[in-house]
Amino acid sequence: MKNRWMRSALVALLAILLSAPVYPVASLDFASLDSARDKRDKRDKEATGLNASTSGRLELPDTGLTEEQKIVHLLNRIGYGPRPPIAGEPRMAGKPGDIERVKQMGIAAYIEQQLHPETIPDPEMGPRLAGFETLEMTPFELLATYPPPQILRVIEQRLAPQMGMDPEAAGVMFPELERYRARQDRRASEGEREDDPVARELRRQQRMSPQERMQQAMSSPARIIIELSQAKLLRAIYSERQLQEVMTDFWFNHFNVFFGKGADRWLVTSYEYEAIRPHALGHFRDLLGATASHPAMLFYLDNWLSADPEADYNQRELQRRYAAYLREQGSYPGALVVEILRRRGMDTRRVEQFFEQRMDQMENPRPRRRGRFGRRGSGNNQQPQQPPRRGLNENYARELLELHTLGVDGGYTQQDVIEVARCFTGWTILPLQFGPQFLYVDEFHDQGTKVVLDHKIENGGQRDGQRVLDMLARHPATARFISTKLARRFVSDDPPESLVERMAATFLETDGDIRAVLRTMFSSEEFWSAEAVNAKVKTPFEFVVSAARATNAEVETFPPGLVMTLRGLGQPLYAAQPPTGYADTAEAWVSTGGLLGRMKVGLGMAVNRLPGVRVELPPEILRAETTQELVEALSLQVLGRPASENTRQAVAAQLAEAQDEIAFGGRQMEARLALGWLLASPEFQRR
């Protein structure tokens, strides 16, 4: 029976969602709030003073929305939806809901506060993230704690024999190598794909007991993606700094990096927390520079391999350059291996001596003896083959122009792509075994003159790339492209040209001040228009987070139930492979399969069937005397407003078909099923 009424509801849900793109808020009955709205609008204007374009403060336009409608709309756009009051949780007992808090503060004041997240106390996040050790680690520390198998194999097969280590002892020290080989064998036999690290890890865990699953996942590199994903969800659900979370997600998707590509497994945490998050509400140029020089981006788009094809460099000289750079940083080439062994409980004095000798040989090479072992063309006695020489790689240059700044119609040519790639030659990283860091190598750099967008760039070494970033960050096409993407995220899939033009003008006037651009948008009639309300379909991430917020769900640290849920809905975190990231328009997410998945998640969350997620119903809702009153009370909690007549009728119909379950579970079951159907409703799928 359950499958039958789920299928019938899915057909209705899909039809409504596709045929009614916007639910006109003007039809909702909030007449009793009109006088309060007028008073609140007057107070907002008095509090904020002049227009945004002249003072940087907000003046909210009157577009016919009531105060309540404005607040719900704002909370669905500036964050991940309103949270209702919290009455039952002892730690947060008596905390007002988000709608009431914004009423008390004033809409304009709330927006200004969100634009400055550093001023917002966020007491919940410290305790919730306290156990996530990997978030506090540098890439070097992550590599030492959760080393990649290729480094362990080098230690086992090359270093251990050179140092006289017992091979069996080395095997005991690195038990993950045995697991790695077993996975490789199984992957080869099953034809398993390599492109989804989260999926691979979850499939592996499904074959284990819960205890084994917990122990192995949290003692392997999988812990990095699990904690990073879980932290992102917890921040989005519980943080008071909602706009910062939205903008961090927006910019990560804009400057996307795929966690599953090689070394990026150990680099993406640093990328988000050092390159993206600190600049999410700052100046675009700072954000652009931070992403361009971060090892995660350099590795993901292969710029670390890019060099002038005619560059004259020697591999031994390059190794010495790496060693000298590490010396300057207070480190040395074998530091990562030493740290790995130290963390395994080994006395590393012999290993350190070994690397000191290698360093001495590298810095003071002995003259080569010319003899039969040194002659060219001597058969098996030839010199060891040099690694393949580097060449010009255009990947980063192309995405920098097409996706990060100007846009596909930004007026650049293929020759501009080549010239930009030449400017970024030499922007590389230290090899993984040294602990990847940004490094500029002048020997790799194209020393010639470049011409980018008709601007001549004389050779300036590393400065060539910086000049390109300066030029692109201040280009009118960039201003328009970034403004369009922001308006698409916050207003509608097809944002009004008038709004984009004003945002782009602010971008250029303020040298790419992201806060100023957002103020222009938040003070616009287009943002507050009735047509913009409910005009956006939620992505799976937005749906899951808003559902957790609307139900005041308690999300546990482990197991990562919502992380697994997002994989099933088609949006695993940090796993978008193409540089475009995940789509930000409805057409990518509205499908029969996708909506069926959302229905299952909504009902699963409501009846506490999602691992690691707990929903408790407020006692006052369970005291409702009739089903109609129950649905009305839940609608206010879930949607922040009364549900439409279509939604009320649809929920009532589904409850009528579930009388067997309700008879068995009583009012508690009826309330949970009603909650689940409201979470699955077309109204909740929109923001």
Side-chain angles (χ1 to χ4, degrees):
M1 178 180 291
K2 182 177 179 181
N3 289 337
R4 178 167 54 82
W5 49 263
M6 282 190 70
R7 284 195 299 270
S8 63
L10 174 62
V11 173
L13 172 63
L14 184 61
I16 293 172
L17 194 58
L18 291 176
S19 63
V22 177
Y23 293 86
V25 296
S27 66
L28 299 178
D29 183 14
F30 285 115
S32 61
L33 297 171
D34 283 346
S35 59
R37 177 204 66 191
D38 294 338
K39 292 178 182 178
R40 187 67 60 197
D41 287 349
K42 181 179 179 181
R43 192 191 69 190
D44 282 336
K45 291 180 180 180
E46 291 174 349
T48 56
L50 301 175
N51 186 274
S53 63
T54 58
S55 70
R57 296 186 178 184
L58 286 168
E59 181 175 313
L60 304 181
D62 185 359
T63 59
L65 300 183
T66 66
E67 179 190 39
E68 193 101 355
Q69 291 168 346
K70 284 184 176 180
I71 292 174
V72 173
H73 174 59
L74 178 68
L75 292 172
N76 276 314
R77 299 300 175 88
I78 206 170
Y80 292 102
R83 291 185 74 189
I86 302 177
E89 186 181 339
R91 185 159 54 97
M92 304 295 289
K95 180 180 178 181
D98 288 341
I99 295 175
E100 184 59 34
R101 288 198 300 122
V102 177
K103 282 183 182 179
Q104 294 171 2
M105 180 182 296
I107 296 174
Y110 179 78
I111 294 173
E112 282 295 336
Q113 184 187 57
Q114 287 294 314
L115 287 167
H116 294 276
E118 69 280 0
T119 67
I120 305 174
D122 211 10
E124 270 200 82
M125 294 320 302
R128 289 190 183 277
L129 301 180
F132 292 0
E133 298 177 0
T134 62
L135 301 184
E136 305 296 327
M137 294 182 181
T138 65
F140 181 91
E141 291 170 330
L142 289 173
L143 284 163
T145 308
Y146 309 103
Q150 57 266 40
I151 289 182
L152 296 183
R153 287 203 307 270
V154 170
I155 296 175
E156 178 192 48
Q157 297 172 9
R158 294 176 57 186
L159 182 61
Q162 289 181 13
M163 296 184 56
M165 288 178 60
D166 182 354
E168 292 186 6
V172 171
M173 188 178 296
F174 306 127
E176 56 263 66
L177 275 177
E178 182 178 349
R179 296 197 299 267
Y180 171 77
R181 294 184 182 108
R183 287 199 303 272
Q184 292 289 89
D185 293 342
R186 185 170 59 248
R187 188 174 300 144
S189 62
E190 297 176 0
E192 184 175 314
R193 294 176 60 188
E194 296 263 0
D195 56 4
D196 188 344
V198 177
R200 287 203 309 271
E201 180 58 27
L202 294 176
R203 280 195 294 270
R204 184 178 68 84
Q205 291 183 21
Q206 289 170 359
R207 294 188 283 262
M208 303 164 61
S209 70
Q211 295 78 12
E212 292 174 326
R213 193 175 305 144
M214 169 80 78
Q215 184 178 11
Q216 285 201 14
M218 302 308 280
S219 62
S220 72
R223 179 171 184 169
I224 302 171
I225 185 61
I226 290 172
E227 291 192 347
L228 185 61
S229 300
Q230 190 77 332
K232 181 181 179 73
L233 281 161
L234 291 176
R235 286 181 183 276
I237 294 168
Y238 297 111
S239 176
E240 301 293 345
R241 301 167 182 175
Q242 283 284 285
L243 181 58
Q244 183 182 44
E245 297 312 312
V246 168
M247 292 304 296
T248 299
D249 177 68
F250 173 85
W251 289 122
F252 191 101
N253 203 56
H254 181 80
F255 295 104
N256 183 54
V257 165
F258 174 44
F259 180 89
K261 182 176 179 178
D264 276 331
R265 290 175 173 84
W266 294 268
L267 297 172
V268 168
T269 302
S270 167
Y271 181 67
E272 177 171 308
Y273 281 77
E274 296 175 10
I276 301 290
R277 181 173 290 275
H279 304 292
L281 288 163
H283 278 78
F284 181 74
R285 173 62 180 86
D286 296 334
L287 176 62
L288 184 64
T291 58
S293 60
H294 196 280
M297 179 64 75
L298 291 166
F299 186 85
Y300 173 58
L301 291 179
D302 302 318
N303 201 81
W304 73 289
L305 295 170
S306 187
D308 179 3
E310 304 300 323
D312 184 19
Y313 66 92
N314 179 278
Q315 194 66 27
R316 290 182 180 273
E317 283 295 329
L318 186 59
Q319 293 290 332
R320 281 195 284 271
R321 171 68 64 85
Y322 292 155
Y325 178 80
L326 288 170
R327 286 286 200 194
E328 293 173 4
Q329 305 297 312
S331 184
Y332 54 94
L336 178 60
V337 171
V338 170
E339 186 61 24
I340 290 171
L341 296 174
R342 180 180 293 125
R343 292 179 183 231
R344 303 297 170 109
M346 180 177 175
D347 184 345
T348 60
R349 285 175 293 183
R350 286 184 59 197
V351 186
E352 292 177 65
Q353 292 173 0
F354 172 81
F355 281 113
E356 287 177 4
Q357 294 172 359
R358 293 286 299 272
M359 279 287 295
D360 181 64
Q361 295 171 4
M362 186 180 299
E363 293 176 350
N364 303 287
R366 298 179 181 178
R368 288 191 180 183
R369 297 175 57 186
R370 295 193 60 82
R372 63 187 184 94
F373 294 102
R375 297 190 190 105
R376 295 184 179 180
S378 52
N380 294 332
N381 295 322
Q382 293 182 18
Q383 291 294 321
Q385 185 177 0
Q386 289 276 343
R389 296 189 66 81
R390 302 175 180 225
L392 190 67
N393 190 296
E394 300 174 11
N395 289 356
Y396 176 69
R398 179 171 290 103
E399 309 309 349
L400 175 64
L401 295 173
E402 178 180 334
L403 299 178
H404 299 172
T405 57
L406 304 179
V408 67
D409 298 319
Y412 65 89
T413 66
Q414 172 59 26
Q415 188 58 41
D416 287 316
V417 173
I418 295 172
E419 297 295 288
V420 169
R422 293 176 61 206
C423 289
F424 281 95
T425 49
W427 287 48
T428 187
I429 57 177
L430 287 172
L432 183 68
Q433 66 269 25
F434 296 160
Q437 302 177 48
F438 171 76
L439 178 67
Y440 172 73
V441 178
D442 194 58
E443 287 83 353
F444 292 165
H445 187 63
D446 188 321
Q447 307 291 328
T449 299
K450 300 92 175 172
V451 180
V452 177
L453 301 174
D454 297 325
H455 291 270
K456 183 179 290 187
I457 298 178
E458 302 288 354
N459 177 45
Q462 183 179 348
R463 177 63 184 156
D464 290 357
Q466 298 289 358
R467 289 185 62 187
V468 170
L469 297 179
D470 290 341
M471 184 192 313
L472 296 177
R474 295 168 175 84
H475 198 284
T478 298
R480 182 173 181 78
F481 182 63
I482 298 301
S483 297
T484 300
K485 288 196 69 172
L486 285 169
R488 187 183 300 138
R489 168 61 180 79
F490 285 94
V491 181
S492 66
D493 286 0
D494 186 17
E497 285 292 320
S498 56
L499 175 60
V500 172
E501 289 174 2
R502 293 199 305 280
M503 292 170 65
T506 300
F507 187 101
L508 294 172
E509 290 168 4
T510 62
D511 195 25
D513 186 338
I514 298 167
R515 282 192 182 92
V517 175
L518 292 176
R519 282 195 188 96
T520 296
M521 180 180 63
F522 290 141
S523 63
S524 71
E525 291 187 1
E526 293 90 342
F527 179 82
W528 297 104
S529 69
E531 292 76 18
V533 178
N534 295 327
K536 292 287 294 182
V537 171
K538 295 174 181 176
T539 66
F541 177 72
E542 292 165 348
F543 164 67
V544 166
V545 171
S546 61
R549 287 178 64 81
T551 58
N552 274 329
E554 182 60 29
V555 180
E556 299 174 3
T557 300
F558 206 89
L562 293 184
V563 173
M564 294 184 281
T565 295
L566 281 171
R567 175 183 169 265
L569 293 177
Q571 195 181 13
L573 297 179
Y574 306 100
Q577 294 182 64
T580 50
Y582 287 117
D584 59 355
T585 55
E587 60 186 0
W589 304 112
V590 177
S591 68
T592 302
L595 295 177
L596 177 60
R598 295 187 187 210
M599 290 174 61
K600 291 179 178 178
V601 170
L603 288 167
M605 183 176 291
V607 300
N608 286 329
R609 294 289 177 84
L610 291 186
V613 183
R614 184 83 182 168
V615 171
E616 297 296 338
L617 295 174
E620 60 271 19
I621 286 180
L622 296 175
R623 289 195 291 267
E625 295 184 0
T626 66
T627 298
Q628 181 178 351
E629 291 178 359
L630 176 70
V631 174
E632 288 175 355
L634 284 170
S635 297
L636 289 175
Q637 173 180 330
V638 171
L639 302 174
R641 62 180 185 274
S644 67
E645 182 61 27
N646 284 342
T647 297
R648 289 197 297 269
Q649 290 180 2
V651 173
Q654 295 305 322
L655 293 177
E657 289 199 27
Q659 287 305 305
D660 291 346
E661 290 89 341
I662 294 173
F664 180 78
R667 177 49 60 90
Q668 178 83 215
M669 177 58 70
E670 183 181 34
R672 290 189 178 277
L673 289 176
L675 174 61
W677 286 115
L678 283 168
L679 293 176
S681 70
E683 284 187 86
F684 191 75
Q685 303 310 310
R686 291 185 170 274
R687 58 175 179 83

